Amino acid sequence: MSKIKYYYDTETCKYERVKIKKRDIVINALGFMSLSLVLAVGIILVLSKYFDSPKETALRQENEDLKGYYDLMQSQLENMDQMLKVLQEKDDNVYRAIFEAEPIPETVREAGSGGALKYKNLLESDLSNKDLVLNNLTSIDKLKKRIYIQTKSYDEILELAENKDEFYAAMPAIQPVANEELRRLASGYGMRTDPILKVKKMHYGTDFSAEQGTPIYATADGTITYTRKSQTGYGWHIKINHGYGFETLYGHMSKFAVRSGQKVKRGQIIGYVGNSGKSTAPHLHYEVHVNGIAKNPVYYFYQDLDANEFDEILRLSSIENQSLGSYSNR
């Protein structure tokens, strides 16, 4: 029960009862409600600042769990990347080396796959952890691209393996002239003294000294690219395409035994030693090219030489002497 309030009226010299107006009641109520609302808002702000709500606690825990999963995914991606690098190294240095295939350039392996442009919507979103997500997606794209390139490489290696008989038949594996006593190798691959200019120049083949008319043999199966008669450079010479990137050249011949476009087998006579072109003595100049790049022919004389003979011919070819032909204007 509410207390009744009185006040002393000086005019009547009596205590009069205080009459409360409805307006005052409304004002007092509104004031109380306003104060209560301010206090409530203040309490809520304090609680929200220093204490998490159950929903916020759950979201915070979920974010921590997601961060843990992200770190785990990142670790797994790094492990996969290391495993792929091991496969790539074996591919370049073992499998492709066995089949004389050129390694895949690193620029091809590391080629881009669209990058962040693929995820424009993600970049424009309000996602708080979009950088983490974008990094993972980009890493996955690069990994997928490298895996795809590696699978294509294995397809190529598999094809070479399936056709290994044809591959080995196409590899220049014998000496182009009979050289049982290993006395005919006159000058090897590398820097040699030019017999005419008397300066050191790169000698891209191997010279075999032999009498005029000595038979010359195809060192692998292939097709005669051309037979060419020239008064300079290689003189009368033949080029054979063996496939799988292998090509051989035979220079300074005196006579051809084949024609352009003809298919030949390893060991078949294709012509005879001569002294044509820029040659200082009867000999055969022999070159091996793999994918357009000149290689040391001696490294391919494995079929008709044992280990000791190979070591000896390798030693002879490494002697820096004078070549028997000049190719300054070939």
Side-chain angles (χ1 to χ4, degrees), residues 8 50 69 88 151 165 195 207 217 279 293 308-309 318:
Y8 183 77
Y50 296 102
Y69 287 129
Q88 290 172 351
T151 57
D165 291 338
D207 289 345
Y217 306 101
S279 173
I293 299 174
N308 292 331
E309 290 172 336
S318 65

Side-chain angles (χ1 to χ4, degrees), residues 202-207 216 226-239 248-256 272-281 283-289 294 324-330:
M202 183 61 189
H203 188 232
Y204 290 100
T206 299
D207 289 345
I216 299 171
Y226 60 73
T227 59
R228 188 164 297 170
K229 299 178 181 180
S230 174
Q231 302 305 315
T232 61
Y234 296 117
W236 285 37
H237 61 283
I238 287 176
K239 191 171 187 180
T248 53
L249 184 144
Y250 310 77
H252 308 297
M253 301 170 69
S254 62
K255 184 179 178 182
F256 300 141
Y272 300 90
V273 171
N275 193 26
S276 58
K278 285 193 173 181
S279 173
T280 57
H283 75 287
L284 169 68
H285 174 81
Y286 172 68
E287 294 183 9
V288 172
H289 296 258
L324 297 180
S326 176
Y327 307 97
S328 57
N329 296 316
R330 55 183 178 181

